[in-house]
Amino acid sequence: MDDSVHSSPNKSPLGTGDGEPLTVNFTLNGKATSLQVAPNAVLLDVLREQLQLGGTKKGCDHGQCGACTVHVDGQAMNSCLRLAAMCEGQHVTTVEGLSRDGELHPVQQSFLECDAFQCGYCTPGQMMSASALLADERIGTDDASVKEAMSGNICRCGAYKNILEAIQQARLAYDATAERGSVQRKEGAA
Amino acid sequence: MRPFAFSRADSVDHAAHQTAPTAAFVAGGTTLLDLVKLDVMRPTALVDINTLPLKRVERLDDGRLKIGALVTNTDLAHHEEVKAHYPVLSQALLAGASTQLRNMATTAGNVMQRTRCPYYRDPAAACNRRAPGSGCDARDGINRMHAVLGGSTDCVAVHPSDMCVAMAAIGATLTLKGPDGEREVAFGEFHRLPGDTPHIEHDLRDGELITAITLDAPLVPAGSHYLKLRDRASYEFALASCAAQLSLDGELIGEARVALGGVATKPWRCAEAEAALVGQPAEIASFERAAEIALADARPLAHNGFKVTLAKQAIVRALREAARCAGETQEASA
């Protein structure tokens, strides 16, 4: 192995562990977080094992099932294909950070009301994708667009019908809240 | 996962000087980390390039569109310039992967994505692309998903990208920055045919970084279409796909661009089929002739003979839709 590539201070003792840890600073569920992580530590594993946030699930570990979906700077991403070290300065939201002030996110509420899960293992990932798509104006609001946008989240129980229903129901509450928010913002600005 | 060192690039120049053959740049990481976990790729060091200023999309004075290497697949698909002037690229991007992966994946990373050949992805299998000289288990294995165009005795793995198929049809130039300075490579020459060196996948030298991809000026007035045929409707790689662009001169075809995905070892531009379309009536018979020409050199394996038929049908349907769009454009401008 060519040692000359290690021009960074994080010299990795190859084959003898995970290399020297490095510091990563990011905002996790609204809180400033500073962590020592191994260079090859994956965000999903850091969330679950280092930070004890077990809501984010490990399914395939290869970006194929979506169980590990989190928001990074507001966008849905597979935390299994992202190094923790790559999150420097970013805002990471997990399912634990989806509710606000003790109130469930509209998506969480509608998943309950629509019975949008069976075993529940994929549910955190489903809800993270669903909440991101409601906030993304580039994604259409019709059923076909929602299905397409959700296709990166597999549900082996097959609760898709109720998941779709839950998302469309959540949209009504979400849009009402967003509208209220914009009114408040306008009032705040005046 | 094997250990590796990690550093963050603080400038393009620094990044281009920093890396050795055993290091890799990481942007979206969607292919790289997947393959590191599978022990297919074994970088000793990763250089994170996400903070480099390569996220702009700009229209150049000559009409071309310069896309920064780090523009995400999502942002590129929804960019106003792309939707307005290169809808075929927008369609191709949105036909690929999942929402999450498109949010992470970058333009240059998509160009660099590796084949989905299951034998390449399995270190226990023989694969000349992953382990030169070890053989090819796909040739006599399960090869339903493999290439019918551009293959060799040593490798028949398909290039998996949708975005690259659209770029092959549009025409583009890659800007590469390396220790010896900057150079440009035509998109069609960047990816290599496997030949007897399938492990050499592209024309990127040690330490070089893709900094931008510049699309040729759009065809006008023109129509285009990206058609992707696959085993399920979403989040699946193509069995056959076609990016088509046409400009009309009255009832006749002015210029034509045709590229194929899912059936070839690299993004596959069909230059002879394009030439055969010029000056012909924009009708099914012309499209079918072009499709025959495009697949004339097809070499199917035991399980993928259906791809020859499927690719021809993809070409005809994509051209038909492109011609319909071109007709609308022509009418609107008349």
Side-chain angles (χ1 to χ4, degrees), chain A residues 1-2 4-8 10-19 22-24 39-40 42 61-66 69 75-83 85-86 88 125 129 136 138-139 147-154, chain B residues 1-8 14 18-23 26-31 33-35 37-38 42-46 48 50 72 74-75 78 94-104 116 121 230 232-235:
Chain A
M1 297 287 180
D2 184 354
S4 67
V5 300
H6 305 303
S7 51
S8 78
N10 313 306
K11 284 213 171 200
S12 166
L14 292 172
T16 60
D18 284 345
L22 52 109
T23 306
V24 57
N40 67 350
V42 171
D61 209 21
H62 285 275
Q64 297 176 6
C65 77
T69 304
Q75 298 216 64
M77 294 190 186
N78 302 108
S79 62
C80 73
L81 290 182
R82 192 165 186 84
L83 294 175
M86 290 163 66
E88 177 70 26
S129 280
D136 192 339
R138 301 173 299 188
I139 298 173
K147 282 187 196 172
E148 170 57 40
M150 292 296 295
S151 71
N153 290 81
I154 311 287
Chain B
M1 202 194 300
R2 281 172 198 258
F4 45 74
F6 180 92
S7 61
R8 297 183 187 106
H14 187 203
Q18 200 174 17
T19 49
T22 55
V26 61
T30 54
T31 290
L33 292 174
D34 179 29
L35 292 178
K37 287 183 181 189
L38 292 172
R42 299 173 179 182
T44 58
L46 293 192
D48 182 355
N50 281 295
T72 67
T74 298
D75 286 345
H78 293 293
L94 293 174
S98 65
T99 307
Q100 295 97 313
L101 291 169
R102 290 193 295 269
N103 287 342
M104 304 168 81
R116 305 298 296 191
R121 291 170 60 81
R230 44 188 160 172
R232 61 182 177 205
S234 178
Y235 195 18

Side-chain angles (χ1 to χ4, degrees), chain B residues 152-167:
Chain B
S152 67
T153 310
D154 287 341
C155 184
V156 286
V158 162
H159 193 276
S161 172
D162 294 293
M163 183 196 83
C164 289
V165 179
M167 286 186 175

Side-chain angles (χ1 to χ4, degrees), chain B residues 12 15-16 25 49 52 54 175-178 204 207-211:
Chain B
V12 172
F25 296 119
I49 58 170
L52 298 182
L54 303 172
T175 305
L176 313 175
K177 182 98 179 190
L204 198 62
E208 270 187 333
L209 178 69
I210 302 170
T211 57

Side-chain angles (χ1 to χ4, degrees), chain B residues 38-258:
Chain B
L38 292 172
D39 212 19
V40 170
M41 293 179 80
R42 299 173 179 182
T44 58
L46 293 192
V47 179
D48 182 355
I49 58 170
N50 281 295
T51 53
L52 298 182
L54 303 172
K55 295 176 183 167
R56 283 183 59 192
V57 178
E58 56 179 325
R59 191 81 179 267
L60 304 181
D61 290 340
D62 58 10
R64 297 188 301 155
L65 193 71
K66 186 176 180 182
I67 303 161
L70 292 174
V71 176
T72 67
N73 285 182
T74 298
D75 286 345
L76 188 59
H78 293 293
H79 196 279
E80 290 304 326
E81 288 279 355
V82 174
K83 285 196 293 186
H85 302 294
Y86 305 96
V88 68
L89 177 58
S90 186
Q91 290 164 4
L93 282 160
L94 293 174
S98 65
T99 307
Q100 295 97 313
L101 291 169
R102 290 193 295 269
N103 287 342
M104 304 168 81
T106 63
T107 306
N110 193 315
V111 170
M112 293 294 293
Q113 75 178 292
R114 301 305 205 272
T115 183
R116 305 298 296 191
C117 172
Y119 302 104
Y120 171 79
R121 291 170 60 81
D122 174 8
C127 173
N128 291 316
R129 188 173 288 258
R130 172 174 34 76
S134 63
C136 172
D137 275 347
R139 212 153 234 298
D140 299 311
I142 297 172
N143 47 40
R144 177 176 177 270
M145 301 294 286
H146 288 74
V148 296
L149 291 167
S152 67
T153 310
D154 287 341
C155 184
V156 286
V158 162
H159 193 276
S161 172
D162 294 293
M163 183 196 83
C164 289
V165 179
M167 286 186 175
I170 292 164
T173 307
L174 291 102
T175 305
L176 313 175
K177 182 98 179 190
D180 301 325
E182 193 172 273
R183 67 188 180 106
E184 298 203 322
V185 177
F187 192 84
E189 285 160 25
F190 183 74
H191 297 101
R192 301 272 188 92
L193 288 172
D196 56 7
T197 54
H199 59 290
I200 304 172
E201 301 189 308
H202 45 68
D203 181 22
L204 198 62
R205 299 174 192 155
D206 288 343
E208 270 187 333
L209 178 69
I210 302 170
T211 57
I213 297 175
T214 306
L215 303 180
D216 289 357
L219 287 185
V220 281
S224 68
H225 190 63
Y226 187 73
L227 178 69
K228 181 175 181 179
L229 304 171
R230 44 188 160 172
D231 280 329
R232 61 182 177 205
S234 178
Y235 195 18
E236 178 60 282
F237 292 92
L239 292 168
S241 72
C242 178
Q245 286 198 110
L246 277 185
S247 69
L248 288 180
D249 185 3
E251 298 290 304
L252 303 181
I253 296 165
E255 279 188 75
R257 307 276 183 79
V258 179

